DNA sequence: ATAAAATTTGCGCTATGGCGTAAAATGAGA
DNA sequence: TCTCATTTTACGCCATAGCGCAAATTTTAT
């Protein structure tokens, strides 16, 4: 599992996809993070105002991590276009 | 350039390292993002409250991107321990 | 269809991010 | 050492994140 993200939408979609792939509900993530279900929802829906602590907390709950790397030249297709 | 980050501090340090490696000042990043120098400073110093829009904006200014991936088992050493 | 689960939205609240502006502190070069 | 550039910190301001709590909406299964 390795998804490039440049926008809040892409990050949100990636997190939702991974969560579902792991068979977890927002409630499950909420329990692991002590964040409200509404907060998880907001993040997954691409709220750009979501704080770093919140994103990192959810990442940890999903056993994910961030990698910061140089931008790679890629097609105009976003991850959302590729995966339904 | 590829740096794993799990904490606001690690993200901040990574961004600062990359910025300097590219010979840019916080003022340069500020000019490219329309964020205040103080905001860049806050981010680089690991403020967990920094918003996603801010992080993504700075990433773009540094020609970087996020990759979300499964956590990798690694030593206890953080990136800060490895690089001065 | 319909019941249950899951997700989204709303309200009032407190805390704080990022803004403009400016000054203070730190770092780097002559 | 002494500037000048860079970074950090402060103050007042407005906007909003995330909280508890709850209701509404959507999705999933039976």
């Amino acid at each position: 599992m390795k998804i490039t993200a440049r926008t809040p939408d892409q990050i949100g979609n990636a997190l939702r996809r991974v969560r579902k792939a792991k068979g977890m509900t927002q409630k499950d993530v909420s329990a692991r993070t002590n964040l409200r279900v509404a907060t998880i929802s907001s993040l997954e829906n691409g709220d750009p105002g979501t704080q770093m602590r919140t994103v990192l907390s959810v990442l940890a709950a999903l056993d994910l991590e961030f990698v910061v790397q140089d931008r790679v030249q890629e097609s105009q297709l976003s991850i959302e276009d590729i995966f339904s």
Side-chain angles (χ1 to χ4, degrees), chain A residues 36-52:
Chain A
R36 292 186 317 150
V37 169
T39 300
I40 316 289
S41 171
S42 179
L43 166 58
E44 290 188 353
N45 283 310
D47 176 8
T50 304
Q51 300 181 11
M52 218 195 311

Side-chain angles (χ1 to χ4, degrees), chain A residues 4 8 13-14 18 25 29 45-47 49-51 56 58 62 67-68 78:
Chain A
T4 298
N13 284 328
V18 172
T25 65
V29 176
N45 283 310
D47 176 8
T50 304
Q51 300 181 11
L56 291 173
V58 171
L62 295 176
V67 172
V68 178
S78 71

